[in-house]
Amino acid sequence: MKKFKKYTWAGMFLALIVGSCQKPDYVEPNDKSDITDFYATLDGSGRSRLFNSHISNDTVFVNIDYYYPIDSDNEVDLSKVLLKASIPVDSKIVPSLDGISDLSKPINVEVIAGDGSSKKYVIVANKKGNTDIFGARLNFQDQEGVPQEVDAILVGNVVNFSIVPGTQVINPKLSYTLNKHASGSIPNGTAVNLNQPIPFTVTSAGDAKEQYTLKTVEAIKLPKGIRANSAKIMFAKKLKADLGIDVDNMTSSIAVSGKHLVLNTRAANSVYINAFTGAKEGTIELGAIKGSLRNFYSTSDDAGNIFINNLAPNDGAVFKIWKANSATAALVPFIEWNTAGKAIGRKVSIIGDVNTNAIITAPFHAAGDKTFARWQVINGALVSSTPTVVTVADYSWSNNNIDLIYTNPTSTSSEYYAIGYSDNRLVRVNGTTNSVAANLEKLDANFIANAVDYAEFNNGKYVAYNHINSFDWGSADQVFLIDTEGGFSGNPSLNTTPGLVWSAPKGIYGRAGTMQPSNANGTGDVVMAVSDNGFYLYLYFMFTNGYVVGVQYDCVDL
């Protein structure tokens, strides 16, 4: 320890000798006298940059909000502000800006550079109310009578509303959000004509005024998939109270056809509603097809053709599917096949267009079954009324609950999705080996999963399925929309599925939401459709004794 001290003191003495022989560096005085930055704050806010400024020649304009915070009624007292200036390191500002300053009148200061030169400034408060547009929306009806709303995209002082090409903007009304102390030159909720850009002025306290331009621009698509958070509930109609379907437990399925959504109720004529507003528009006279086991289920293909089928062998040995090309067209026989006693008809799904190419699937639903019937349509012609029977290698179902759909209307070896009780796992099945390739986690087995649909939209691939509560206790009655390429794992009911796009709030749209009897048959349905212009994906779902709901998604690039 003593040796260490000895050497340490010797080193320090040597450093002093060497240092004393060196000449100090000469620092030339700075001739800069510019204020390079300036801002203001309030007492108690430390060095927080509350109010910025802009400098023009020898004037510093400090932009101070009339109220702070801007959404409060606390008017800023100009006589009690703190000013902060950035100047060269060897310069000084006279008089000093330390402490509280009074900006209710201009303040004259001088910046003196290190070489003695100086520059004079005058500091002026520009106290104005907030004139920002925090948000704007255009509400209108399109040519189909569908209510639409478009949120504005602000680019500088231009307020753009992106309109999907081919859309007619009928009776547009402007709504916007401003600071509570501001007002717009066009009253909120007023009809506007945006055939040409129109001016819009926002005024606020302190004679603040900002000029904007409102205009419509042609929407463009995202490179792929659904725009995040674009889900919009178009309608939610109670089957009984809103649509007059007064029989319990018998509304089994839905089909979408152009502007119409068709609700099939066993032993009753089908009701069709507006597919965008949910308004009831008419009924389909089923005639001899009507019966509790005859018009048992209904579905549609990607072109909007409607299909109704019976339940075999309950309605006889022959399984029958009828087809109509719209909600107002006649139903004609499409498939007739003797099942030789096999139970079929509780679910039918179709990928593609039966007027061109399509694959039709109908699962057999005996307890513990693993098979389904598959028909193919090629170039508008049904290959055969006798289906191919396919066995799924490692997935089975029970209690009559199973649905599955292919992903490619021209390939029987393409992947397909299946959901069935009580496995309750949504599975993606390899169409060549018919074995499960991927799956989501099992949903609560107290409740029933039994409907699935698949759609491709804006270069993305989506699957939707349901989870039904058949009791008057517990909670389910959900529908999930999954981006199949966004992470096909986890449990969407627990929000652990990476590809989950949207889910219906649990229980809201089932019989608990309508206070009707429990869904004794455990039935419900999901179906999707893509708009002709390719900008919208529509998801429709129904819970027996509950609601029918329409949800719109878009792919507009904002």
Side-chain angles (χ1 to χ4, degrees), residues 7 31 197 260 330 412 447 477:
Y7 289 145
D31 62 355
H260 300 124
T412 56
F447 310 109
D477 289 331

Side-chain angles (χ1 to χ4, degrees), residues 380-460:
L382 185 67
V383 173
S384 172
S385 287
T386 300
T388 299
V389 176
V390 181
T391 300
V392 184
D394 44 8
Y395 194 78
S396 63
W397 44 88
S398 62
N399 294 77
N400 305 320
N401 292 287
I402 178 62
D403 193 16
L404 55 86
I405 188 167
Y406 275 82
T407 59
N408 187 331
T410 64
S411 174
T412 56
S413 62
S414 66
E415 294 178 327
Y416 55 91
Y417 287 90
I419 186 67
Y421 178 84
S422 60
D423 194 300
N424 277 5
R425 289 178 302 150
L426 178 66
V427 294
R428 180 165 60 218
V429 183
N430 183 303
T432 301
T433 64
N434 293 300
S435 60
V436 173
N439 62 268
L440 300 186
E441 293 176 9
K442 181 176 182 177
L443 299 179
D444 188 339
N446 283 311
F447 310 109
I448 298 167
N450 65 10
V452 65
D453 199 19
Y454 174 85
E456 297 190 359
F457 172 69
N458 191 37
N459 303 312

Side-chain angles (χ1 to χ4, degrees), residues 185-254:
S185 58
I186 300 173
N188 231 326
T190 298
V192 291
N193 183 351
L194 290 178
N195 289 332
Q196 298 293 330
I198 59 175
F200 180 68
T201 305
V202 177
T203 56
S204 191
D207 295 325
K209 184 176 293 186
E210 191 75 25
Q211 300 288 344
Y212 294 90
T213 299
L214 309 178
K215 61 183 294 189
T216 58
V217 295
E218 186 172 285
I220 59 175
K221 291 182 180 180
L222 291 166
K224 184 176 182 179
I226 293 171
R227 177 171 62 88
N229 302 315
S230 66
K232 181 182 75 173
I233 302 291
M234 298 185 296
F235 63 84
K237 298 291 186 180
K238 297 176 181 178
L239 299 183
K240 183 175 290 187
D242 296 331
L243 301 179
I245 300 174
D246 57 5
V247 58
D248 295 326
N249 300 321
M250 301 294 275
T251 303
S252 62
S253 48
I254 53 178

Side-chain angles (χ1 to χ4, degrees), residues 8-30:
T8 300
W9 284 113
M12 291 176 65
F13 180 69
L14 179 62
L16 287 171
I17 295 173
V18 173
S20 66
C21 297
Q22 292 180 338
K23 293 182 179 181
D25 292 333
Y26 175 73
V27 179
E28 184 177 352
N30 196 322

